[in-house]
Amino acid sequence: MQLKSIGSFFVGGRTVTLAGLPVEQRRLAIGAAPRPVDPNGDHVTGQMYVQEYRLTAPRAPFPVVFWHGGGMTGANWETTPDGRPGWITQFLEAGFDVLVCDAVERGRSSWSMFPQIYEGAPLFRTKNEAWDMFRMGPAGSYATDPALRQPWPQVQFPPEAFDAFACQWVPRWVGHEAVTEAAYDALISRVGPCFVVGHSQGGGFALQMTQRRPADVRAVVALEPSGAPAAEGISSALPPHLVMWGDHIAEHAVWTRYRASVDAYLADLRRHAVPAHTLDLPAEGIAGNTHFLMMDRNGAQLAERIIAWLSAVDH
Amino acid sequence: MQLKSIGSFFVGGRTVTLAGLPVEQRRLAIGAAPRPVDPNGDHVTGQMYVQEYRLTAPRAPFPVVFWHGGGMTGANWETTPDGRPGWITQFLEAGFDVLVCDAVERGRSSWSMFPQIYEGAPLFRTKNEAWDMFRMGPAGSYATDPALRQPWPQVQFPPEAFDAFACQWVPRWVGHEAVTEAAYDALISRVGPCFVVGHSQGGGFALQMTQRRPADVRAVVALEPSGAPAAEGISSALPPHLVMWGDHIAEHAVWTRYRASVDAYLADLRRHAVPAHTLDLPAEGIAGNTHFLMMDRNGAQLAERIIAWLSAVDH
């Protein structure tokens, strides 16, 4: 990979001034005497971290922007938990400039005091919940001991890498949609025309952004989006949409509901003559894909499908 | 830059199983009905995120590993807050493979529930405190309005980028030294022979690691380390040390104390015939450097000094 630049920047954010909070006596190093720590003053909140890889000679017409899902960071798109090159590498090698976000309050975007700035505490996802929610195996098939876990037959996620994957998970807050969307808006304003690839919660944000900024989002790819925007925002000016789904949706009530809402949204897009394609992997005979398509064993083939689709769409 | 690979991995971490905690009813999306959220089960804690850039043809004998300071992430070493290429770029261009850490509980390394896993709440640094502690200006010269701030004359940090820099700050816990060092140990075990460049708290960890792993740390650079290890750990087998200090140490009691302990440590190293060089920038006539040497306007020149030193040391 011949790169012109590797870097990062922040978008969004505002300063909140806290006052009237008690100065605490805190021990700042093991064995040290407590000293005063004053939380009063100016804090930044709502900023978003963006990593940017620019090729010396990009071949794609626009950069691709990756938006991870809930409780994750941009690390999702790097090396897979079992050590294979991730989609950042694959898209760079395919000639795309690449931008990768850590959503607001996650990873390098930092997070803010609660209850002083955020209303309350975040959610932490257990491995137990994730195993089920990410469709690694049937409900209740998680066990602390990896040898006792029962993944779906033909599962595409490497089950032996599930614990390594758990290292990537970060806490997440709920109800922060507005500040998150404001930061994504600031990003799109800075980047200009681009392709957006969003996963799960990030896929929902990508679909919403496409409604708000159809001139900048030249094509959108939503990987198992956890919800769709209101149909009222659809116009024939929207760019092409691709939505991808893995296996075992029908066995999971939450995913069945998400999928139904997205299917209905895509039908509405088509009624407005917006190109909207659903890539249903099991319907094509590809079994075992989990919620984390980009980390699945066939993830490189799935990225190739997306790259081919982006190359063929009329943007 | 011709790169062979861009990727990341996690080191360290262990699983903690929580039990007996109440299942909360939480509203997971705006307007949605509350649904049960169960914090009981398996959580990972203590893992560390490492980003790895490998050149197609490295010219340096060992990779360089960057360790940021307290309340920071690996973003410190990327693009400077005013948009100049950071030290990652500069070291890659100089022929070094580069690894960048987010210390445990910071950035993409995630953090854990408190008080269930961590003992208590983290510390959040205000801009007010940082302006003083990072030696941007005299004590009390911070103001919320950037136009009213009074940086030191000749300050090398671009003052107009201070608010952009504040976007990088993350909460930090105290008393987590053991778990942080365990993750750094796991990293050194994985990487093998390397050069370690640590800043502030990360500089202190780098000096300690050099005592523990003198065969793997082939040279160590500590940028304004906030403390030094015990002299008892010194042996003549330790590799060359370089310590760099910016301006206005004498005007700041905390930095005066840190510097004195590090100066004493370097004197001890020299008594054991360990090469130990102090680069005191103001003593060389270079005025205005802050605690964030890698972001200062002359940061590229400072990196050149380090690169030249690493090229000349007997490792």
Side-chain angles (χ1 to χ4, degrees):
Chain A
M1 289 173 280
Q2 185 75 41
L3 284 143
K4 186 173 67 182
S5 65
I6 293 171
S8 61
F9 57 88
F10 285 79
V11 291
R14 67 190 175 89
T15 295
V16 175
T17 304
L18 298 181
L21 297 171
V23 175
E24 289 182 85
Q25 294 293 323
R26 294 287 295 264
R27 205 177 292 279
L28 295 193
I30 292 169
R35 71 173 179 88
V37 172
D38 186 354
N40 298 294
D42 293 341
H43 298 257
V44 189
T45 188
Q47 74 271 31
M48 183 172 73
Y49 169 79
V50 186
Q51 212 156 20
E52 183 176 32
Y53 301 94
R54 294 281 180 179
L55 294 165
T56 305
R59 302 186 302 278
F62 309 110
V64 64
V65 181
F66 286 114
W67 291 351
H68 64 76
M72 300 286 154
T73 76
N76 277 187
W77 311 99
E78 295 181 329
T79 310
T80 65
D82 61 341
R84 289 168 289 127
W87 283 16
I88 293 174
T89 297
Q90 199 170 346
F91 277 75
L92 286 170
E93 288 179 342
F96 291 79
D97 284 345
V98 171
L99 292 98
V100 183
C101 298
D102 287 0
V104 173
E105 41 120 298
R106 296 173 197 168
R108 290 176 171 173
S109 294
S110 197
W111 56 278
S112 299
M113 293 173 78
F114 58 89
Q116 296 88 350
I117 298 178
Y118 292 168
E119 277 186 25
L123 300 178
F124 294 78
R125 202 186 322 257
T126 61
K127 293 191 200 182
N128 315 53
E129 177 195 325
W131 179 268
D132 178 38
M133 189 69 184
F134 301 163
R135 309 198 313 279
M136 301 289 165
S141 66
Y142 173 79
T144 300
D145 180 352
L148 300 179
R149 295 172 195 164
Q150 299 188 332
W152 288 109
Q154 298 181 283
V155 68
Q156 291 278 359
F157 189 94
E160 70 282 5
F162 182 75
D163 288 333
F165 175 35
C167 291
Q168 296 194 15
W169 309 345
V170 297
R172 67 195 194 282
W173 277 262
V174 293
H176 286 188
E177 287 83 352
V179 67
T180 300
E181 290 192 333
Y184 282 138
D185 276 329
L187 173 68
I188 295 297
S189 295
R190 173 170 172 147
V191 174
C194 60
F195 300 130
V196 178
V197 176
H199 175 242
S200 196
Q201 185 186 37
F205 284 127
L207 296 175
Q208 284 169 324
M209 180 63 71
T210 305
Q211 284 193 358
R212 291 205 303 281
R213 306 289 288 264
D216 288 322
V217 180
R218 296 303 177 94
V220 61
V221 178
L223 308 167
E224 300 215 339
S226 54
E232 288 67 41
I234 296 176
S235 83
S236 59
L238 296 197
H241 286 58
L242 174 65
V243 173
M244 194 183 287
W245 297 102
D247 206 350
H248 302 297
I249 300 280
E251 288 93 332
H252 203 294
V254 172
W255 288 109
T256 297
R257 199 167 68 241
Y258 287 154
R259 164 111 201 223
S261 74
V262 175
D263 281 349
Y265 184 72
L266 262 66
D268 281 331
L269 286 170
R270 288 183 205 108
R271 271 191 286 280
H272 286 79
V274 176
H277 184 64
T278 296
L279 182 43
D280 181 328
L281 295 169
E284 287 199 11
I286 301 169
N289 275 108
T290 70
H291 184 47
F292 280 82
L293 300 157
M294 76 291 266
M295 299 176 190
D296 282 347
R297 287 199 185 93
N298 61 349
Q301 288 85 58
L302 303 182
E304 276 170 30
R305 296 283 295 263
I306 293 169
I307 290 166
W309 181 82
L310 288 173
S311 306
V313 291
D314 182 22
H315 38 72
Chain B
M1 287 171 285
Q2 185 74 42
L3 285 143
K4 186 175 67 182
S5 65
I6 292 170
S8 60
F9 57 87
F10 285 78
V11 290
R14 65 189 176 92
T15 295
V16 175
T17 304
L18 298 180
L21 296 171
V23 175
E24 289 182 85
Q25 293 292 323
R26 294 286 294 264
R27 208 176 291 279
L28 295 194
I30 292 169
R35 73 172 176 87
V37 173
D38 186 355
N40 298 295
D42 293 341
H43 298 257
V44 188
T45 188
Q47 73 272 31
M48 182 172 75
Y49 169 80
V50 187
Q51 211 156 20
E52 184 175 31
Y53 300 94
R54 295 280 180 181
L55 293 165
T56 305
R59 302 188 301 280
F62 309 111
V64 64
V65 181
F66 286 115
W67 291 352
H68 63 75
M72 299 287 153
T73 76
N76 276 189
W77 311 100
E78 296 181 326
T79 311
T80 66
D82 61 341
R84 289 168 289 127
W87 283 17
I88 293 173
T89 296
Q90 200 170 344
F91 276 76
L92 286 171
E93 288 179 343
F96 291 80
D97 284 345
V98 172
L99 292 99
V100 183
C101 299
D102 286 1
V104 172
E105 43 122 295
R106 297 174 196 165
R108 290 175 171 174
S109 294
S110 196
W111 56 279
S112 299
M113 294 173 78
F114 58 89
Q116 296 87 352
I117 298 177
Y118 292 168
E119 277 186 25
L123 300 178
F124 294 78
R125 202 185 322 256
T126 61
K127 293 192 201 183
N128 316 52
E129 178 197 324
W131 179 267
D132 179 37
M133 189 70 186
F134 301 163
R135 307 195 318 276
M136 302 288 166
S141 66
Y142 174 79
T144 300
D145 179 353
L148 301 179
R149 295 173 195 163
Q150 298 187 333
W152 289 110
Q154 301 180 282
V155 68
Q156 290 278 2
F157 189 95
E160 71 282 3
F162 182 75
D163 288 333
F165 175 36
C167 292
Q168 295 194 16
W169 310 343
V170 298
R172 68 196 193 283
W173 276 262
V174 293
H176 285 187
E177 287 82 353
V179 66
T180 300
E181 290 192 333
Y184 283 139
D185 276 329
L187 173 68
I188 296 297
S189 295
R190 176 172 169 142
V191 173
C194 61
F195 299 130
V196 178
V197 176
H199 174 243
S200 196
Q201 185 187 38
F205 284 129
L207 296 176
Q208 284 169 323
M209 181 62 73
T210 305
Q211 285 194 357
R212 290 204 303 281
R213 307 288 289 263
D216 288 323
V217 180
R218 296 302 178 96
V220 61
V221 178
L223 308 166
E224 299 215 340
S226 54
E232 287 67 41
I234 296 176
S235 83
S236 59
L238 296 197
H241 287 58
L242 175 65
V243 173
M244 194 183 286
W245 297 102
D247 208 349
H248 302 296
I249 300 280
E251 290 92 333
H252 203 293
V254 173
W255 287 110
T256 297
R257 200 168 65 240
Y258 287 154
R259 165 110 199 225
S261 74
V262 175
D263 281 348
Y265 184 72
L266 262 65
D268 281 331
L269 285 170
R270 288 184 204 108
R271 272 192 284 279
H272 285 78
V274 176
H277 184 65
T278 297
L279 183 43
D280 181 325
L281 296 170
E284 288 199 11
I286 302 169
N289 274 107
T290 70
H291 185 48
F292 280 82
L293 300 157
M294 75 291 266
M295 300 176 188
D296 282 347
R297 287 198 185 95
N298 60 350
Q301 288 83 59
L302 303 181
E304 276 169 31
R305 296 283 295 263
I306 294 170
I307 290 165
W309 181 81
L310 288 174
S311 305
V313 292
D314 181 22
H315 37 70

